């Protein structure tokens, strides 16, 4: 058994058994006075409650108690990532109660530690990459023009999973090398900034799968990648070319953090996501030049399934 990546066997402890998680349910249904039929409400299903029994060994009661404190301390102050023996999934658990029971005539061989937890089960991370091979020419036939590009993807949904935060990463991955396109546009060892506007539809949704609006991103700085973090929903930009950001900047407008809707949402088997790009070719100057003409964009979506 691992708690936040640490094996409890380091503290003389071993997992004995796990009581199957029972769901917490809140239901306001009632038979109100004066009514001929009851008021029936939709139940709200909450987190599961788990009870984990751990055997803690030691050469003395003092050592056993010290080992017990160390195991409990592994949970820290927030939810812990717990790997239970006999399960392939990881569990996100918070302690709600602790009990310690002593055994043996001398009480100094082993004790049982009961960990009462609330939480949920996590599956393996799902990562999907799209559009990494498309070459975009923002100056077709020698004409400096806007380039519009649309990408529609289907994100698979795991059966039984709940809505989970969705990670989105946009990367400018094309590097111009000698002879790759034309010698006129050689720019070796640098990755061109994105310089464009992006609208992502189908990722900001409520629990019923209804759209709350698109994510709109404007990348007018030196960002060669843009990321909406899966764990926090925070949008960040990254520059891989070492230049300072002296253009108009990088902005993100999100009505809510992007989510993978889960099998209880609008799309039971897959989630349709649309990327609508508008690329620009900025005016040439001493450092930009013509090399920004060619681009290749990689879109990566990721989420960790949650089962409650």
């Amino acid at each position: 058994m691992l708690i936040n990546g640490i094996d409890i066997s380091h503290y003389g402890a071993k997992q004995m058994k796990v009581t199957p998680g029972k769901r917490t349910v809140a239901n306001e249904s009632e038979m109100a006075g004066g009514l001929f039929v009851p008021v029936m409400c939709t139940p709200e299903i909450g987190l599961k409650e788990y009870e984990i029994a751990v055997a803690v060994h030691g050469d003395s009661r003092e050592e056993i108690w010290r080992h017990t404190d160390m195991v409990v301390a592994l949970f820290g102050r927030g939810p812990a990532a717990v790997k239970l023996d006999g399960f392939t999934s990881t569990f996100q658990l918070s302690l709600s109660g602790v009990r310690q029971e002593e055994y043996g005539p001398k009480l100094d061989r082993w004790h049982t530690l009961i960990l009462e937890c609330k939480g949920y089960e996590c599956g393996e991370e799902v990562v999907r990459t799209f559009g990494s091979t498309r070459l975009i020419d923002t100056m077709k036939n020698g004409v400096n023009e806007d380039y519009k590009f649309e990408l529609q993807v289907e994100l698979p949904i795991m059966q039984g999973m709940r809505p989970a935060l969705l990670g989105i990463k946009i990367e400018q991955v094309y590097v111009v090398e000698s002879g790759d396109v034309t010698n006129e546009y050689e720019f070796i060892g640098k990755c061109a900034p994105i310089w464009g506007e992006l609208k992502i539809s189908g990722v900001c949704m409520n629990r019923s799968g209804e759209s709350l609006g698109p994510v709109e991103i404007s990348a007018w700085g030196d960002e060669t990648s843009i990321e909406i973090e899966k764990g926090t929903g925070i949008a960040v930009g990254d520059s891989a070319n070492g230049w300072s950001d002296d253009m108009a900047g990088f902005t993100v407008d999100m009505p809510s953090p992007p989510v993978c809707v889960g099998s209880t949402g609008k799309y039971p088997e897959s989630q349709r996501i649309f990327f609508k790009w508008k690329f620009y070719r900025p005016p040439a100057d001493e450092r930009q030049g013509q090399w920004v003409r060619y681009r290749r964009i990689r879109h990566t979506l990721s989420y960790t399934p949650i089962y409650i």
Side-chain angles (χ1 to χ4, degrees), residues 7-21:
D7 195 328
I8 63 173
S9 64
H10 295 326
Y11 307 112
K14 180 178 177 59
Q15 175 188 320
M16 295 173 60
K17 66 176 182 178
V18 178
T19 302

Side-chain angles (χ1 to χ4, degrees), residues 66-191:
R66 186 165 60 248
H67 286 170
T68 299
D69 291 341
M70 290 177 176
V71 172
V72 174
L74 292 177
F75 280 87
R77 296 184 178 181
V82 179
K83 289 285 289 184
L84 297 172
D85 297 341
F87 293 84
T88 58
S89 300
T90 299
F91 294 80
Q92 288 289 328
L93 302 178
S94 291
L95 275 180
S96 56
V98 177
R99 304 196 313 271
Q100 184 176 343
E101 301 173 359
E102 298 183 313
Y103 291 92
K106 294 184 179 181
L107 304 179
D108 60 359
R109 294 188 178 181
W110 61 275
H111 296 177
T112 297
L113 173 65
I114 306 297
L115 302 170
E116 299 173 358
C117 305
K118 291 183 178 180
Y120 55 87
E121 179 183 355
C122 300
E124 293 186 6
E125 182 184 28
V126 177
V127 179
R128 295 290 184 271
T129 301
F130 307 91
S132 60
T133 59
R134 186 181 183 98
L135 184 64
I136 300 168
D137 184 352
T138 57
M139 193 176 173
K140 289 186 176 180
N141 301 319
V143 178
N144 183 11
E145 60 181 17
D146 299 340
Y147 186 96
K148 296 181 179 180
F149 166 52
E150 295 186 12
L151 176 67
Q152 176 180 337
V153 301
E154 295 276 345
L155 188 64
I157 306 300
M158 303 298 183
Q159 185 64 34
M161 66 168 282
R162 294 289 175 138
L165 285 177
L166 179 66
I168 301 174
K169 190 168 187 179
I170 311 296
E171 299 170 280
Q172 164 67 276
V173 296
Y174 184 63
V175 179
V176 180
E177 296 179 353
S178 177
D180 190 69
V181 180
T182 170
N183 290 333
E184 184 180 356
Y185 301 111
E186 290 181 10
F187 198 89
I188 301 174
K190 298 290 183 181
C191 189

Side-chain angles (χ1 to χ4, degrees), residues 253-268:
D253 182 18
M254 283 191 296
S256 71
V259 296
C260 182
V261 296
S263 59
T264 58
K266 188 175 180 180
Y267 308 111

